[in-house]
Amino acid sequence: TEVAVLSTLYAGLVSVFVYHDLSWKRLNAAVVESGLATGVVLLVIMTSAAIGWLLTFDQMPQGITQWVQANVHIDWVVILLMNLLMLFVGMFIDLPAAVLLLTPVFVPLAQSVGMDLTQLGIMMVVNLAIGLYTPPVGTTLFITSAVAKVKVGQTVRELGPFYLVAFTVLAIVSYMPASILR
């Protein structure tokens, strides 16, 4: 953030004193455009925070974990359900908040199927990172679309090959622990 402020000040000073092309009209347009972009980002973050609060308040992850421990006794299915829940939560909540919300819930579940905690951590980060650019609320997806001034649907279509690679990496991390725990 500090470097961004210094860079902006530097660019402004160079534009005024070296190139002599920064008018009040151009400055006003830049400020308005920056304000709109910031507003989009803050709206997405606010929505993500509200959904995170609702999930925490309703104790949804804990309820799902209790249900899985009581009803599912096949290790690979437990890992699949953990992945699905992390992907779902990752679509609505930013990565740091989701890690704080899900880690205490998933550690006992991972240990019950014999999963290494390092593998769980990597699996969580990969899952939640995929959620950052997955609709309906993927924060990075909306921010990127707003900055690029394209529709979210167009961005999602272009991300197709990246989703394929991401899910392949997720499958390797989830079901081939030797590939990441060497």
Side-chain angles (χ1 to χ4, degrees):
T1 304
E2 292 82 4
V3 172
V5 170
L6 290 175
S7 300
T8 303
L9 287 174
Y10 175 75
L13 292 173
V14 168
S15 185
V16 168
F17 295 112
V18 175
Y19 294 112
H20 306 289
D21 65 350
L22 184 62
S23 64
W24 286 109
K25 185 177 180 179
R26 283 191 63 202
L27 180 63
N28 184 45
V31 169
V32 168
E33 188 174 335
S34 298
L36 290 173
T38 302
V40 168
V41 171
L42 291 177
L43 185 63
V44 170
I45 290 172
M46 177 191 68
T47 303
S48 174
I51 291 171
W53 181 85
L54 284 172
L55 291 174
T56 304
F57 181 77
D58 286 340
Q59 296 181 346
M60 187 182 112
Q62 291 90 337
I64 291 173
T65 300
Q66 290 170 355
W67 181 86
V68 167
Q69 285 179 325
N71 297 307
V72 181
H73 305 291
I74 303 169
D75 292 351
W76 71 268
V77 176
V78 172
I79 294 171
L80 176 67
L81 292 173
M82 289 170 61
N83 280 323
L84 291 174
L85 180 60
M86 284 186 264
L87 285 169
F88 176 76
V89 169
M91 285 189 265
F92 297 99
I93 302 175
D94 272 344
L95 197 141
V99 167
L100 290 173
L101 173 71
L102 295 176
T103 299
V105 175
F106 280 142
V107 166
L109 189 57
Q111 289 174 332
S112 73
V113 296
M115 180 183 287
D116 187 271
L117 294 182
T118 303
Q119 179 188 3
L120 174 65
I122 294 170
M123 195 171 85
M124 287 182 76
V125 170
V126 171
N127 267 298
L128 298 171
I130 292 170
L132 288 175
Y133 59 93
T134 304
V137 185
T139 53
T140 304
L141 175 66
F142 276 91
I143 292 167
T144 304
S145 296
V147 169
K149 297 179 183 166
V150 296
K151 294 183 179 180
V152 173
Q154 182 181 353
T155 305
V156 171
R157 277 191 301 279
E158 298 298 326
L159 285 172
F162 295 99
Y163 287 123
L164 182 63
V165 170
F167 284 116
T168 302
V169 169
L170 179 60
I172 291 169
V173 166
S174 299
Y175 295 106
M176 298 169 65
S179 65
I180 57 170
L181 295 177
R182 292 183 185 185

